Amino acid sequence: MKKIISVIMCLALVGCLFAGCTSQEDLRSDIVLITNGGTISDEGYNQSAWEGISAFAEENSMTCRYYQPVLEDGEITVENIEEYVALSAENGAQYIVLPGEEFAVSAYEVASSYPDINFILLDAVPHSADDMTDRFMNNVMCVSFDALQSGFLAGYISVMNGNTELGYFGQFASEDSANYGAGFVQGAAYAADSLGVPVTVDWAEHDSALLDYNYDFTIQACYEKIEDQTDTTFKVNVVDGLGSGTYTEGSNVTITANPAPEGMVFDTWEIKSDTEGVRDSKVNVSAEDLPSINLIVENCDCTLTAKYREAEETNYNVEVMTADGSSVYSAFSVEEGGECTVTAPVAADNMVFDHWETDAEVEFEDAESSSTSVKNINENVTLTPVYAVSDIPTFNVTVVTGEGGNGESTGSGSYVTGDLVTLVSAPPQDGYMFSHWENTDQYGNSTGIAMENEYNYSTTFEMVDRYAAICDSMFNHGVSTIFTGGNDMSDSAFTSKWDFDYDLNVITAGAQNNDAYTTIVKNYGEAIKDCLADFRGGTVSLAGCATDGIYSTFVSEDEEVQAQYDEVYQALADGSILLIQAQGGAGYDFCKLYNEQKPSKCLTLDGWFLEGVSLS
């Protein structure tokens, strides 16, 4: 029944996507594109594929259409694609185009059931869900894109446009990445030798076990002497809460009461002006009856004292234990049937929060979230956070108190990309005031984190992808252009670029990237036209310069450079320029071989991971 309903939904979707209400005869088509869930105007692979299909169909008097699947939890599934293939077969499809690795398992599972339909699988080879071994099928023609030539074009363009210090940001686990990098080095060397200028290429792979890079970083709470402050300042004293300090006039300060003692609940703030001649009512707070309020500092010193009262109803204690369970990390007093928000202590190095455990009968909003609401509290509750060894990279943060601070600043711990990190500085010593937060990694570089307010004693930031630190080091060493072909973490280079200077360049490969200096694009449309014109099941077609299967979105504003690029492109197409492939798909082996053979007079290759040394 589920499958029948799904097919009916697909038919309804087709009617919506393609010209409203149509007859069954109108749905018949020779060529079908099944998108990855995106639209055919995504400026990416779907659009390129559809443009190629449309052009071929028009030139050959064939019909075509596309299906945009409704994905399950944002993922393409075999069952999902099988329904669209069945729908295509029912409506006379001769060719079905599947754009990308996302369809590799679907092609393996589904294509054999439709031997009369020719499948074109782009940028992938069929394989099973639990085995990446290539499975060649009689009715599936695959297309791969020439990573060596793509990298060559990227390296050539970089040097011809005046860049002499280059970086390759690669991925050890990707065979494509090694060949993109190998091509990049050879393209840069070709241009360097033709111009007679010295060029360096720094090569690092973020996931190489041989790359000894320390991703940890330190955040420091910084203070300044009040006597050095030129603006008018006032002192705020918070009793039984957070927010004490000296602030400039107009500062917006968050004041937070400590958790209520057992059997008590927060009642109100007692607010006093400590400046003679200024009434208490002139202390500008957002509220008096909430445990967390905002204070606008105006023309007086002041004291805010959190006041508590006995709970009118039965109250229960909610205690959050430390990671080792030895002591109480935080505690709350909650009225019967009420709720509270709890946050687990920060994970230890290389660990991540996994879930909450408790013997109490309570309801979690999300028991697998480190910060969550606990509801229906009708007894005393002890919550134990449980941690696990992370299967994804964690980045260790150490928060320290600078000169002028009094005590411990909080926020130290182990985090993963996407975590919300909360920082609270230690109170200032007498004669000092909080100034700002500073952050540096182990090599003295900025970490690229963006704080909500780096001038507030209490602030937050989202943990960024720390692999950007590798690119940070490249840029710090003078690299002006980084190529990221074949790297799943290519966005790390942009994270780093945005931290430095928009004049620095990032070159990508694959789908067009509007943020890149240039993209060596995989031309899905042209590759599809070639496959439709000469379908050969069970084979893999290599799309490159000879087939117009790749192209650069930007070459140069200099007409002479453009002409030279065109000549090089043609030389790659006709085989006049032969490239060295990365042996066994390993960037390490290519770098080692290249340095041993020294084929270029002008290019120096620095493989940062060759000796397992730290980047410094």
Side-chain angles (χ1 to χ4, degrees), residues 108 125-128 130-136:
Y108 174 72
V125 176
H127 61 77
S128 66
D130 55 1
D131 184 353
M132 294 296 291
T133 302
D134 293 343
R135 309 287 185 177
F136 297 99

Side-chain angles (χ1 to χ4, degrees), residues 405-477:
N406 183 24
E408 181 181 354
S409 299
T410 61
S412 296
S414 183
Y415 301 93
V416 297
T417 302
D419 278 351
L420 185 67
V421 181
T422 299
L423 306 174
V424 179
S425 69
Q429 298 175 9
D430 288 342
Y432 285 84
M433 59 185 291
F434 176 81
S435 173
H436 63 284
W437 296 96
E438 289 183 352
N439 62 87
T440 55
D441 65 14
Q442 300 300 303
Y443 308 98
N445 301 330
S446 170
T447 62
I449 62 173
M451 296 184 185
E452 183 181 19
N453 185 348
E454 63 182 295
Y455 299 103
N456 196 316
Y457 81 94
S458 176
T459 191
T460 61
F461 69 88
E462 182 177 313
M463 176 59 72
V464 299
D465 162 29
R466 288 289 295 133
Y467 289 131
I470 294 177
C471 300
D472 286 353
S473 289
M474 289 184 179
F475 286 140
N476 272 299
H477 287 150

Side-chain angles (χ1 to χ4, degrees), residues 43-218:
E43 296 186 354
Y45 294 144
N46 293 313
Q47 181 171 334
S48 178
W50 180 244
E51 288 172 352
I53 291 170
S54 301
F56 185 87
E58 183 176 353
E59 293 167 3
N60 292 274
S61 301
M62 299 176 75
T63 57
C64 63
R65 67 179 62 255
Y66 71 93
Y67 296 138
Q68 182 180 333
V70 179
L71 304 184
E72 298 178 14
D73 298 323
E75 298 289 334
I76 289 175
T77 65
V78 172
E79 294 76 18
N80 185 248
I81 297 306
E82 186 175 15
E83 292 173 352
Y84 287 94
V85 171
L87 182 62
S88 302
E90 182 181 340
N91 288 287
Q94 300 175 40
Y95 299 91
I96 295 178
V97 178
L98 305 174
E101 171 63 32
E102 297 160 293
F103 293 91
V105 175
S106 296
Y108 174 72
E109 296 286 347
V110 177
S112 59
S113 299
Y114 298 88
D116 296 331
I117 296 178
N118 294 325
F119 290 81
I120 298 172
L121 177 61
L122 294 148
D123 219 6
V125 176
H127 61 77
S128 66
D130 55 1
D131 184 353
M132 294 296 291
T133 302
D134 293 343
R135 309 287 185 177
F136 297 99
M137 308 174 70
N138 290 335
N139 63 331
V140 180
M141 184 175 182
C142 305
V143 177
S144 67
F145 293 85
D146 198 318
L148 272 170
Q149 291 187 350
S150 294
F152 187 96
L153 295 177
Y156 183 81
I157 290 170
S158 298
V159 174
M160 294 303 291
N161 281 298
N163 298 284
T164 58
E165 295 186 65
L166 313 179
Y168 180 63
F169 179 53
Q171 181 173 343
F172 177 77
S174 167
E175 183 174 339
D176 269 356
S177 174
N179 282 309
Y180 274 117
F184 184 67
V185 170
Q186 293 171 78
Y190 190 93
D193 289 343
S194 67
L195 296 174
V197 297
V199 170
T200 60
V201 176
D202 290 337
W203 180 316
E205 295 171 338
H206 71 81
D207 56 342
S208 171
L210 299 176
L211 176 61
D212 181 19
Y213 194 96
N214 188 335
Y215 295 98
D216 300 344
F217 65 96
T218 299

Side-chain angles (χ1 to χ4, degrees), residues 242-256:
L242 296 175
S244 294
T246 300
Y247 302 94
T248 57
E249 184 178 358
S251 295
N252 187 340
V253 183
T254 300
I255 307 296
T256 304

Side-chain angles (χ1 to χ4, degrees), residues 277-340:
V278 177
R279 293 175 295 180
D280 296 342
S281 60
K282 291 296 184 180
V283 180
N284 187 355
V285 295
S286 59
E288 297 182 10
D289 57 351
L290 297 176
S292 183
I293 62 175
N294 282 357
L295 164 71
I296 304 298
V297 178
E298 292 182 359
N299 296 318
C300 68
D301 300 330
C302 61
T303 297
L304 290 80
T305 304
K307 294 293 184 180
Y308 305 87
R309 59 178 171 80
E310 291 187 6
E312 297 178 0
E313 301 179 8
T314 302
N315 266 39
Y316 295 103
N317 295 326
V318 177
E319 294 182 339
V320 175
M321 305 303 292
T322 55
D324 60 5
S326 63
S327 59
V328 176
Y329 172 72
S330 61
F332 308 86
S333 181
V334 183
E335 293 182 350
E336 186 173 15
E339 64 179 83
C340 66

